[in-house]
Amino acid sequence: MQFQVISASISFIRSNIIYLSQFSLKEELMDNISNNNQYFEVTFSKQVIPSVADCEFEECEFNDCDFSDAIFKHCKFLNCSFNRCNLSLMKVPLTRFFEVDFNDCKMVGVDWTKADWPSFHRDSQLSFNRCILNDCSFFGLVLNELKLIECKIHDVDFRNGDFANSTMTFCDFTNSIFMKTNLQNVDFSDSSDFTIDVMQNRIAQAKFSRFEALSLLESLDIELVD
């Protein structure tokens, strides 16, 4: 009986040592991102890195990180979230994003066309909430059901893109470019300062706030009178 108790105690101690070892490893990963690694359910806080290659992040969370000018090459972000991060001028060659949320992030000058967007995923389930996306490029991308909520979107290139069934509400689109863009069934409710030529873009079933919808008539070269 005494032997069984001692054996059970040793097993308990060993299991706890393994648990503590695993916990310590996870804490270490939270402070370091290195090439050619996989990260699952890890939270990264206040990270600053110049470049990362061939990494996969699944169900990870990035909080208050500074990835400005960072290079993410041939990486994968699956079901991740970025919160209050600086991602301006971030470069994403051959990097894949799926089910990724960006919240309260600064993302100026990002060329999203360099990322990897598989043709079999027309809906990558990207969500930008209260972000600054000035001077970004989405040229020619197919991103159905894209979510842009309360974002500042100045001088952004949406030409030749397909954003059908997207939600783009409460956004400021000052000087952004739409040309040969599929905007069918897009919700622009409470968004402002967009310039969309109804003859050069597909806007069937799109939704606009009543007052802002008047700007759509500018492309028709007509005069409104009271």
Side-chain angles (χ1 to χ4, degrees):
M1 180 67 180
Q2 184 178 3
F3 175 80
Q4 291 179 342
V5 171
I6 294 173
S7 177
S9 298
I10 292 174
S11 298
F12 176 81
I13 292 171
R14 285 177 175 173
S15 65
N16 276 279
I17 290 173
I18 293 171
Y19 172 79
L20 288 172
S21 175
Q22 291 174 339
F23 179 82
S24 298
L25 177 60
K26 187 171 184 179
E27 287 295 315
E28 182 180 350
L29 292 177
M30 295 170 79
D31 293 328
N32 296 281
I33 301 177
S34 55
N35 295 336
N36 301 293
N37 270 317
Q38 294 181 330
Y39 301 92
F40 179 70
E41 290 187 341
V42 180
T43 298
F44 301 94
S45 296
K46 299 182 179 180
Q47 291 281 301
V48 180
I49 59 171
S51 63
V52 172
D54 299 298
C55 284
E56 182 172 327
F57 303 88
E58 184 173 356
E59 296 187 29
C60 291
E61 185 174 321
F62 300 84
N63 298 320
D64 304 293
C65 295
D66 185 359
F67 296 150
S68 56
D69 287 304
I71 301 173
F72 290 93
K73 184 178 181 181
H74 206 267
C75 296
K76 293 181 181 179
F77 293 91
L78 309 174
N79 196 22
C80 294
S81 64
F82 291 80
N83 304 300
R84 303 174 304 280
C85 295
N86 184 0
L87 306 171
S88 292
L89 299 177
M90 173 181 68
K91 297 173 180 61
V92 289
L94 301 176
T95 288
R96 184 174 299 182
F97 298 87
F98 187 75
E99 293 188 12
V100 179
D101 295 335
F102 298 92
N103 304 300
D104 301 292
C105 293
K106 184 178 181 181
M107 313 179 71
V108 175
V110 178
D111 187 353
W112 294 99
T113 68
K114 301 299 184 182
D116 179 21
W117 305 104
S119 58
F120 56 84
H121 274 315
R122 299 179 68 86
D123 171 17
S124 293
Q125 299 186 33
L126 292 187
S127 177
F128 299 87
N129 302 285
R130 301 173 303 280
C131 293
I132 300 175
L133 292 162
N134 298 349
D135 299 300
C136 288
S137 178
F138 293 92
F139 179 87
L141 295 183
V142 178
L143 294 175
N144 294 166
E145 299 186 31
L146 174 67
K147 291 185 179 179
L148 299 169
I149 314 295
E150 295 185 62
C151 292
K152 186 176 182 181
I153 309 174
H154 292 189
D155 301 285
V156 173
D157 191 351
F158 292 99
R159 292 175 300 162
N160 296 91
D162 183 350
F163 307 101
N165 304 304
S166 292
T167 301
M168 304 183 180
T169 56
F170 297 95
C171 293
D172 178 358
F173 286 95
T174 299
N175 295 327
S176 288
I177 306 173
F178 297 89
M179 180 65 67
K180 297 182 180 179
T181 308
N182 184 4
L183 301 171
Q184 293 183 100
N185 204 36
V186 172
D187 186 357
F188 285 102
S189 297
D190 295 296
S191 287
S192 61
D193 296 304
F194 43 74
T195 302
I196 299 176
D197 189 331
V198 298
M199 306 301 292
Q200 297 292 330
N201 297 280
R202 299 165 64 186
I203 62 171
Q205 305 301 315
K207 185 185 297 185
F208 299 88
S209 297
R210 189 178 302 275
F211 178 77
E212 293 296 334
L214 294 176
S215 66
L216 299 175
L217 300 178
E218 294 179 3
S219 60
L220 299 177
D221 194 25
I222 63 176
E223 181 180 352
L224 298 178
V225 297
D226 295 329

